[in-house]
Amino acid sequence: MTRWSRRRQAGACRRARSLLQSFLDGQLEADLALVVARHLEACRRCGLELETYRALRGALTGLRPVPDEAALERLAAFVDGLAPSPH
């Protein structure tokens, strides 16, 4: 690989990595998502980074906290107190 192609590849990797979260969330326009997908197919390093994001997301999804019912009731009472009373 020539120095020029390594620089070009590094630039493509930086661009792809900056878009990985949006790609994973399905927030990229179709043409840009296709460019990222093609890069991920060709670049093992960026593909592994995407898999790391997917694994983290999966692990964090299972960590949803149980809501504190008393806190929710206090919040609802507070919001009700903000509403103007009908005259």
Side-chain angles (χ1 to χ4, degrees):
M1 183 179 283
T2 67
R3 185 183 312 184
W4 171 252
S5 61
R6 281 192 301 268
R7 283 185 186 167
R8 199 169 105 217
Q9 179 66 24
C13 288
R14 275 193 301 278
R15 175 89 168 128
R17 285 185 188 135
S18 73
L19 298 169
L20 285 181
Q21 287 295 326
S22 297
F23 178 80
L24 190 56
D25 294 339
Q27 295 176 337
L28 296 180
E29 293 188 19
D31 57 339
L32 188 53
L34 182 60
V35 169
V36 173
R38 285 183 179 157
H39 178 80
L40 293 169
E41 289 173 2
C43 181
R44 184 169 190 265
R45 182 176 289 164
C46 291
L48 289 172
E49 190 166 334
L50 180 67
E51 289 308 313
T52 300
Y53 283 138
R54 281 188 176 137
L56 284 170
R57 175 181 279 178
L60 292 173
T61 300
L63 297 176
R64 292 191 174 139
V66 177
D68 179 352
E69 292 299 324
L72 291 175
E73 288 174 16
R74 287 191 307 273
L75 181 59
F78 174 75
V79 170
D80 288 343
L82 293 176
S85 58
H87 294 293

